[in-house]
Amino acid sequence: GESGKDRQRVRTGGGDRYRVLLLDAEHHTESYVEKTLPKAVPGVTPEQARKCCLEARLFGKSVVMVAVKEHAEMHTYSMARFRLRATIEPDSTAL
């Protein structure tokens, strides 16, 4: 959704850009995501985490950030350690 684009953070560095996505899951409560997503992805605030959770609930996924592939994968693995369902996809908005 459009609100996800407002939250995208682009990391510096070379390489293709990938979106880190929070996927909707029944065990993702708003309070759990608000508490754990900032631990899993540095720079994400509790407010951004709450918005990601709500967007994922409405649309099935929410963009947490945009990064080079290796950083995107690292953040996805970190999210998985907190039982947050996540994946990456190429960022089609990158030029």
Side-chain angles (χ1 to χ4, degrees), residues 27-82:
H27 67 270
H28 290 174
T29 64
E30 185 178 327
S31 62
Y32 183 76
V33 174
E34 186 174 10
K35 181 173 60 172
T36 58
L37 187 57
K39 293 177 185 177
V41 182
V44 172
T45 67
E47 176 64 20
Q48 290 169 323
R50 186 183 66 77
K51 288 179 182 179
C52 282
C53 182
L54 294 173
E55 188 172 84
R57 185 69 31 92
L58 287 172
F59 302 109
K61 63 183 178 181
S62 177
V63 177
V64 176
M65 68 178 302
V66 177
V68 295
K69 187 175 184 178
E70 54 204 22
H71 289 167
E73 289 173 340
M74 177 187 70
H75 291 303
T76 301
Y77 295 139
S78 180
M79 290 168 68
R81 285 196 307 268
F82 285 97

